[in-house]
Amino acid sequence: MTAAPPGKVTVCAKCYDEIVKARGTGGPLAGLRTNKMIARHVCEECNTEMSIYTEQDVLMVKCARCAPEGIACDRCVPPAGYAR
């Protein structure tokens, strides 16, 4: 993975796909409320579990490899050369 722009975190392609899918559901703006689990994904690229959840109406992601502390989904960027 290459360095992400300032304020952003590069996540693996599989985790990024799951983030895009969750964001497509509308996230907090579609009625999802505070501190609610949205999705769990066992990432074959990271070999770990990735969680997408809301925290204070912000869509968040937590992945042991990509975002171990948890980060807002809108701060995630795909790896260099990512193609859907």
Side-chain angles (χ1 to χ4, degrees):
M1 288 191 230
T2 59
K8 303 286 184 174
V9 173
T10 301
V11 298
C12 79
K14 300 282 185 183
C15 287
Y16 189 77
D17 287 342
E18 290 298 315
I19 291 167
V20 169
K21 189 185 326 179
R23 290 175 82 183
T25 65
L29 298 178
L32 302 172
R33 289 293 165 232
T34 303
N35 301 329
K36 182 175 179 178
M37 181 61 60
I38 306 301
R40 287 185 192 259
H41 165 70
V42 177
C43 184
E44 61 268 7
E45 195 168 319
C46 292
N47 295 317
T48 189
E49 182 176 273
M50 187 262 296
S51 301
I52 299 174
Y53 57 99
T54 58
E55 186 174 280
Q56 299 177 353
D57 293 335
V58 174
L59 196 60
M60 304 283 289
V61 64
K62 189 171 197 171
C63 172
R65 180 175 149 220
C66 300
E69 302 300 318
I71 189 167
C73 287
D74 64 355
R75 292 186 53 209
C76 296
V77 294
Y82 172 82
R84 265 186 123 178

